[in-house]
Amino acid sequence: MQWLLLPVGGVLSGVLAGLFGIGGAILMIPLLITMGAEPVQATATSSLAIVIVALSGTWQNWKMGLLKLRKVLYLGSSALVTAQLGVYLANRFPPHILLICYGILLSSSFYLIGLKKRLVRQGDPVLSKDKSNSGRARVLAAIVTTGGTAGLLAGLLGVSGGVVLVPMQILLLGEPIKVAIQTSLGVTAIAASSACIGHALGGNVLWADGLILGVGGMLGAHFGIRWLPRLSDAVVTFSFRTLLALMSTYIFWRAWLAYATATV
């Protein structure tokens, strides 16, 4: 039964990623926890699946000439480091704390998705023309903050961080929305790869599960992208927020169970 849940869950995760423009970890992690994985194992295995999906999408962008490699490398350099910090914290947090952190991220996505929509409606921002040393320092700080956040989320919670990365690139770096999304995918590939290596060294990755979820997610994302134009914004927004509410409620409930078990 579990081997049926994994491919189906992977495809559904990919469909969600294609429909809502976020990583499939929102479904992968609860699925893995339901199947008996420890929270840190779910985080680690999700990072492996995200590597597969993100690398596939990044390769497609590269072939189409849409990938800004220099921007990806700038942001990804700090993500490499902070991903290892996330791995370190994930291995030391009690299971219920790790679940609470993931639940908080799911809940905060309500605001972040709304912010992303407002930024898209406002159109592409005007890039800063400030060439002074102070202007360069602010840009460098924004790059480190943006990439560092992606790496930390990948290592700690096993998520792609796209729901955070895209608004941060627009707000802090003045990136056009389409460039921000394409760059986010490339940075996600770097951050998730770093996180996956760190977790693998700690023996946390469930390799077979992660590979099945990743391949399924890669296939499902193509269906999600095809279906998205057929759905109204209202339907997509309502469906996404309903899913977030259900998943965050479930994760907080599992956190309470983990805490109750630990204190018995």
Side-chain angles (χ1 to χ4, degrees):
M1 182 63 178
Q2 288 190 350
W3 288 101
L4 178 61
L5 287 176
L6 282 172
V8 172
V11 172
L12 289 177
S13 298
V15 171
L16 293 176
L19 283 175
F20 303 130
I22 61 168
I26 189 175
L27 187 59
M28 290 180 187
I29 291 178
L31 175 62
L32 288 166
I33 290 174
T34 300
M35 293 174 62
E38 293 294 324
V40 69
Q41 291 177 320
T43 293
T45 305
S46 172
S47 69
L48 171 60
I50 289 173
V51 168
I52 297 172
V53 177
L55 284 177
S56 173
T58 300
W59 174 248
Q60 291 297 323
N61 283 334
W62 173 264
K63 289 198 301 183
M64 296 171 64
L66 301 175
L67 186 68
K68 307 296 182 182
L69 185 59
R70 181 176 297 181
K71 293 179 180 178
V72 170
L73 293 177
Y74 281 157
L75 292 167
S77 59
S78 58
L80 282 172
V81 177
T82 55
Q84 296 309 311
L85 173 60
V87 171
Y88 174 84
L89 294 174
N91 280 287
R92 277 151 183 80
F93 281 178
H96 67 279
I97 296 297
L98 200 57
L99 289 171
I100 288 173
C101 289
Y102 185 63
I104 290 173
L105 177 66
L106 290 177
S107 301
S108 64
S109 295
F110 275 92
Y111 168 75
L112 291 170
I113 288 296
L115 174 61
K116 182 178 174 181
K117 284 181 173 292
R118 288 196 298 272
L119 291 170
V120 172
R121 285 196 297 266
Q122 291 171 3
D124 294 344
V126 179
L127 296 176
S128 172
K129 304 298 182 181
D130 188 355
K131 302 297 183 181
S132 65
N133 289 332
S134 61
R136 293 192 185 98
R138 287 195 297 272
V139 171
L140 178 60
I143 288 174
V144 172
T145 300
T146 304
T149 300
L152 183 63
L153 290 174
L156 178 61
L157 302 176
V159 300
S160 69
V163 71
V164 177
L165 259 179
V166 172
M168 287 185 71
Q169 286 183 81
I170 296 172
L171 291 173
L172 299 182
L173 299 175
E175 295 281 14
I177 180 64
K178 291 183 179 179
V179 173
I181 292 173
Q182 292 154 0
T183 302
S184 173
L185 194 59
V187 176
T188 292
I190 294 175
S193 297
S194 177
C196 185
I197 292 171
H199 280 298
L201 293 175
N204 296 324
V205 179
L206 306 176
W207 292 99
D209 294 359
L211 290 172
I212 293 172
L213 287 172
V215 173
M218 186 171 59
L219 297 174
H222 292 288
F223 290 103
I225 292 171
R226 288 175 181 270
W227 290 344
L228 182 58
R230 304 177 185 179
L231 302 176
S232 68
D233 287 346
V235 170
V236 172
T237 300
F238 175 78
S239 301
F240 180 68
R241 288 181 172 171
T242 300
L243 179 66
L244 283 177
L246 293 173
M247 291 296 101
S248 59
T249 300
Y250 175 72
I251 289 296
F252 283 129
W253 177 66
R254 292 298 300 240
W256 181 83
L257 289 181
Y259 174 75
T261 301
T263 55
V264 170

